[in-house]
Amino acid sequence: MNPAATSTAPLTLRELDAIGVERLNGVGRQRRKALGDVGVETVFDLLTYYPRRYVDRTAQAPISEAVVGEEITVVADVLSVSSRRLRGGRRLVSVELGDATGVLGAVFFNQAWRERQLTEGRTVALFGKVETYRGSKQMTNPVVDVLGDGSTAERTGKIVAIYPQSETAGIVTWDVANWVAEARRRCERRGIADPVPARLRKRLGLAGRARAFTDIHEPRSMSDRWAARDRLVFDELLRVQLLLRSQRLAREAHELGLAHDPAGSLIEAFQRRLPYALTGAQQRAMAELDADVSTQRPMHRLLQGDVGAGKTLVALHALLVAVQNGHQGALLAPTEVLAEQHYIALRALLHEFEVADDARLDGRRPLCLRLLTGSSSATERREVLVETATGAADIVVGTHALLEESVKFGSLSVVVVDEQHRFGVSQRARLRESGRDDRRIPHLLVMTATPIPRTAAMTVYGDLDVSVLDELPPGRTPITTEWVRGPLAAEVMWAEVGREIEAGRQAYVVCPLISESEGLEARSAEQVHAELAAGSLAGVRVGLLHGRLPPADKEAMMTSFRSGRVDALVATTVIEVGIDVPNATVMVVLSADRFGIAQLHQLRGRVGRGAHASKCYLVSDDDPTPLAEERLAALVATNDGFELAERDLELRGEGTLFDERQSGRSDLKLASLVRDLDWVKAARDAAADLIAADGDLDAHPALADEVDWFASRRDPDYLHRS
């Protein structure tokens, strides 16, 4: 299996990742495809296909000692299995199991597939509450792990690892255990390399890597299992931190930007014109921006804040610093609706603003703010391109249209990217790299309205400086959130929506789909629009907005809603961010159990922007999953986006966080940003200790090679991001 058969050096992770699982005994073409379906293609993937739980057979309770009323884990053989249909069409599967001490029954309601899973002769672990039925011990709907096919005697008296299984792919836990054991056995001759310096391992009390891989899959004790997890968690977090830190230091060593003077009459005039006082958080963020742009080291800062925290004002401050210093600013938004909203907001704030112009007699000219989107007319586009290239346009707001080859800037020095996770890395980099002819790098501010837990920010955004807006400006009214379940509650809700509209307010109604999708039981925006116009909101001016509408129609609909000519707007999530209509006081989200916490919080933030109290209704389908119920309950309990972000992280896990940064395969298979904060900090400190000031790992070549390999597994875009 060794890719370099003549080598005797320990196997690195790079080498393990180069060995396909088909090299292992028992993995033919069909098994290889099944493993590929669950993301296991190499020996490295297999060794990091970690157990999801363990059955401790060293302290296993025999059936004879099972106490009625208590929860217990029992390991037994399937003696018989049968099924019958109940009233209403449900099926009952009955199983009889036994060990050397007795017999236990298990019944499964509406789980017909158990009859195929629990065939006679299989050895299983059951976890559940012991009951009595007709004088015999029984469990109802217990948790089941199939340990083997009558061939698991060698696992008796051991701690047995239970692996994630896939009925669709045909992956079962005992097969995975056998393949992992085969892979570990064939690594024994050379061993597994450990690039983490011994002094660091000793200081942190970490096990060796080879020992950790053994003990995570076949622990001698549960304490060994926890020690193995600690080591492998640290490895995952250290690779992320080393990559982020080395890229950041290398970038800072080679990039040269433009130093700006953040003080001046333009900034003073801007702050005097604000309709309300800045929050303390906004003032802190602006001070951090000022410190960044006053040096030749290009700013790389993340501005995160809850819905309505005032990120736009902070971004405009950064753009005006560029203009004040004789340069240009650009604001990049992912959708036309959001770009237009930004343009309208900035235009109102910059109305009749003047900037210095030595070419004029009075030394002043109006500040030039322009908008460029895919739906800009040919005439508008030509004008914007000329003004942008000559420097006549001071601030340009746009969508992906700003990234086209034809767009040139005279002197771009500050770039703001809103909802940055919606842009590819190379897209963001292109705007900065094409903004100047002198190869100076513009300062970059990326914004997100999705609050990020502190641990996630430390890991996922470790290469960015972070500013947090954790205060809301005055004037934001509280939003009451209600979870609506059942037709009677929905009827009451629509009556309340109608009364709010009669009082002169406006409402959003959000649907997850544009039109009916086969196999997905969610009502479409088009269907809901028709139903409401003819039913619950008859006589009300109901509009429709979704992503498939022509740009001109979308703009016309938003204009009608902003101006009050439309009372209720039925829309898809195109209105998730950036829409600001102070008169809108009601948000109805249909099939809310199909949305994530962050998206629901964003949608809720579209109301509560004026002087009137607002309400958000989360309408769930008839039978939401337990996880969906937890999400909806969390939103009802709090309006705090940062608190919700922590809860979201607990419910979702970490993999999706990295997906938002264009990551390839999941970086964190074992580590949890919720549970492992101490290891996040330890990995950050270790990375700072190991990496030289210029970002290289020359003093630790084995670690450097591992980081290079780790980076190569990610999306190539990631390696060239700004």
Side-chain angles (χ1 to χ4, degrees):
M1 109 175 203
N2 183 359
T6 59
S7 176
T8 58
L11 289 157
T12 65
L13 298 190
R14 182 192 292 275
E15 290 175 308
L16 292 171
D17 197 36
I19 304 168
V21 288
E22 69 276 6
R23 303 283 294 275
L24 299 173
N25 292 336
V27 182
R29 180 179 300 176
Q30 186 174 353
R31 291 298 202 182
R32 179 186 177 185
K33 181 182 183 305
L35 284 167
D37 289 343
V38 295
V40 176
E41 298 176 352
T42 71
V43 169
F44 170 79
D45 293 333
L46 184 60
L47 290 177
T48 55
Y49 192 72
Y50 296 119
R52 62 181 175 84
R53 72 184 191 91
Y54 300 82
V55 174
D56 188 354
R57 298 192 71 177
T58 64
Q60 174 187 322
I63 290 175
S64 62
E65 295 180 12
V67 177
V68 174
E70 292 186 0
E71 288 189 333
I72 192 172
T73 295
V74 171
V75 176
D77 297 324
V78 177
L79 303 178
S80 65
V81 60
S82 62
S83 70
R84 60 188 176 89
R85 190 173 295 279
L86 303 175
R87 279 183 197 170
R90 295 198 306 164
R91 186 166 289 277
L92 173 69
V93 176
S94 301
V95 183
E96 186 178 63
L97 306 106
D99 64 9
T101 69
V103 176
L104 175 73
V107 292
F108 300 90
F109 289 93
N110 211 29
Q111 298 180 37
W113 55 274
R114 294 290 190 186
E115 189 174 9
R116 299 189 302 275
Q117 180 196 46
L118 302 175
T119 55
E120 185 176 332
R122 285 191 169 175
T123 303
V124 300
L126 298 183
F127 175 77
K129 189 174 182 179
V130 181
E131 306 162 338
T132 56
Y133 178 71
R134 294 182 177 176
S136 299
K137 293 177 181 177
Q138 175 178 289
M139 289 183 179
T140 301
N141 291 336
V143 175
V144 178
D145 289 305
V146 179
L147 300 185
D149 220 355
S151 59
T152 58
E154 73 279 4
R155 298 190 180 109
T156 301
K158 294 184 177 181
I159 297 172
V160 180
I162 307 298
Y163 292 91
Q165 302 182 74
S166 170
E167 187 176 5
T168 303
I171 298 294
V172 291
T173 187
W174 67 86
D175 280 340
V176 177
N178 289 334
W179 293 327
V180 169
E182 167 74 358
R184 287 174 31 234
R185 183 185 66 78
R186 296 178 67 175
C187 288
E188 285 176 357
R189 185 176 68 84
R190 288 177 57 184
I192 296 175
D194 193 337
V196 176
R199 61 173 176 80
L200 180 58
R201 297 201 308 267
K202 182 178 180 180
R203 176 163 61 83
L204 295 175
L206 293 170
R209 179 176 284 177
R211 181 78 260 165
F213 273 128
T214 295
D215 287 348
I216 200 72
H217 292 289
E218 194 175 344
R220 297 159 296 181
S221 67
M222 292 308 289
S223 62
D224 286 343
R225 176 252 171 160
W226 287 113
R229 182 187 183 278
D230 284 346
R231 170 57 204 269
L232 297 171
V233 161
F234 177 78
D235 281 358
E236 289 183 350
L237 295 168
L238 181 64
R239 284 193 288 269
V240 173
Q241 293 294 342
L242 287 172
L243 178 61
L244 294 175
R245 187 172 182 85
S246 61
Q247 288 183 331
R248 174 173 181 159
L249 291 174
R251 181 191 71 216
E252 291 176 352
H254 297 100
E255 286 187 351
L256 190 63
L258 294 138
H260 291 62
D261 181 359
S265 59
L266 187 63
I267 296 298
E268 292 172 1
F270 164 63
Q271 296 195 355
R272 281 198 305 270
R273 291 185 55 172
L274 291 177
Y276 44 77
L278 295 170
T279 65
Q282 286 175 313
Q283 293 176 46
R284 285 194 303 273
M286 289 177 181
E288 290 163 350
L289 290 172
D290 289 347
D292 286 347
V293 301
S294 63
T295 73
Q296 290 190 340
R297 181 179 67 86
M299 173 175 69
H300 287 74
R301 184 167 290 277
L302 168 70
L303 177 64
Q304 64 158 321
D306 208 344
V307 176
K311 293 180 296 297
T312 301
L313 280 183
V314 177
L316 181 53
H317 172 86
L319 295 169
L320 288 176
V321 169
V323 175
Q324 181 174 262
N325 283 266
H327 303 291
Q328 294 167 287
L331 195 163
L332 183 63
T335 66
E336 291 192 3
V337 169
L338 183 52
E340 289 161 2
Q341 183 69 44
H342 276 310
Y343 176 72
I344 291 169
L346 265 58
R347 186 176 60 187
L349 289 167
L350 298 175
H351 181 60
E352 296 183 350
F353 239 60
E354 292 188 337
V355 297
D357 186 350
D358 294 336
R360 300 203 175 196
L361 291 176
D362 61 358
R364 311 291 295 171
R365 66 169 175 81
L367 184 146
C368 181
L369 172 71
R370 296 307 305 257
L371 174 67
L372 182 65
T373 69
S375 60
S376 297
S377 68
T379 301
E380 289 173 331
R381 180 178 174 79
R382 282 193 299 270
E383 291 176 355
V384 173
L385 290 180
V386 170
E387 292 173 344
T388 301
T390 60
D394 298 299
I395 298 173
V396 184
V397 179
T399 57
H400 294 78
L402 277 179
L403 305 175
E404 295 174 5
E405 292 287 340
S406 57
V407 179
K408 303 294 181 185
F409 284 83
S411 182
L412 182 64
S413 72
V414 171
V415 174
V416 177
V417 181
D418 196 11
E419 294 301 313
Q420 58 83 33
H421 61 276
R422 299 193 182 191
F423 291 94
V425 171
S426 59
Q427 291 177 314
R428 300 198 306 269
R430 191 202 169 278
L431 182 57
R432 298 180 69 222
E433 292 165 3
S434 65
R436 304 188 60 83
D437 293 330
D438 58 7
R439 298 199 173 185
R440 296 291 182 108
I441 303 297
H443 298 284
L444 174 68
L445 176 68
V446 297
M447 301 196 299
T448 177
T450 304
I452 302 162
R454 185 166 57 98
T455 48
M458 288 169 65
T459 304
V460 187
Y461 293 94
D463 59 333
L464 293 173
D465 297 307
V466 180
S467 293
V468 178
L469 300 184
D470 52 7
E471 302 174 55
L472 294 181
R476 293 284 299 193
T477 55
I479 304 170
T480 303
T481 303
E482 183 177 322
W483 180 2
V484 179
R485 288 174 279 190
L488 291 178
E491 189 175 327
V492 172
M493 176 195 73
W494 288 122
E496 291 178 355
V497 172
R499 284 193 290 272
E500 192 71 5
I501 291 172
E502 285 177 8
R505 317 286 174 251
Q506 292 167 278
Y508 298 98
V509 180
V510 175
C511 311
L513 298 174
I514 295 171
S515 56
E516 287 304 304
S517 177
E518 198 171 290
L520 186 59
E521 298 174 0
R523 289 189 296 174
S524 71
E526 292 169 343
Q527 180 185 351
V528 169
H529 175 262
E531 289 177 357
L532 290 179
S536 300
L537 298 181
V540 168
R541 297 168 297 182
V542 183
L544 176 64
L545 180 69
H546 57 68
R548 291 184 191 167
L549 288 175
D553 291 352
K554 282 191 286 188
E555 183 177 357
M557 180 55 64
M558 278 310 305
T559 299
S560 295
F561 190 62
R562 288 191 194 100
S563 65
R565 295 195 300 274
V566 167
D567 301 310
L569 183 63
V570 177
T572 58
T573 55
V574 69
I575 58 102
E576 179 184 347
V577 293
I579 306 302
D580 187 7
V581 180
N583 192 49
T585 58
V586 180
M587 168 62 69
V588 177
V589 184
L590 302 178
S591 298
D593 48 302
R594 299 179 185 271
F595 293 85
I597 284 179
Q599 198 168 35
L600 289 172
H601 184 56
Q602 289 295 316
L603 290 168
R604 176 168 61 184
R606 297 311 101 208
V607 297
R609 293 173 168 262
H612 303 283
S614 296
K615 196 155 188 178
C616 175
Y617 296 98
L618 303 177
V619 185
S620 68
D621 290 345
D622 293 337
D623 190 21
T625 66
L627 189 59
E629 290 185 343
E630 289 193 66
R631 291 197 301 266
L632 296 176
L635 283 146
V636 171
T638 182
N639 285 324
D640 187 324
F642 289 93
E643 184 179 332
L644 287 170
E646 295 286 355
R647 183 65 180 134
D648 195 21
L649 186 59
E650 292 174 16
L651 294 174
R652 285 192 302 152
E654 286 77 25
T656 50
L657 288 169
F658 286 88
D659 291 342
E660 289 179 355
R661 293 301 302 270
Q662 295 82 44
S663 169
R665 289 178 262 185
S666 176
D667 298 313
L668 301 185
K669 295 185 177 183
L670 197 60
S672 164
L673 299 181
V674 176
R675 298 190 303 270
D676 297 316
L677 176 58
D678 288 344
W679 287 118
V680 172
K681 294 176 179 175
R684 290 194 77 186
D685 292 344
D689 181 50
L690 294 167
I691 296 179
D694 61 355
D696 70 51
L697 274 164
D698 290 348
H700 306 281
L703 261 181
D705 180 72
E706 185 164 304
V707 171
D708 286 343
W709 157 80
F710 170 66
S712 72
R713 287 171 58 88
R714 304 166 70 97
D715 190 299
D717 234 3
Y718 185 90
L719 303 179
H720 302 98
R721 66 185 179 80
S722 55

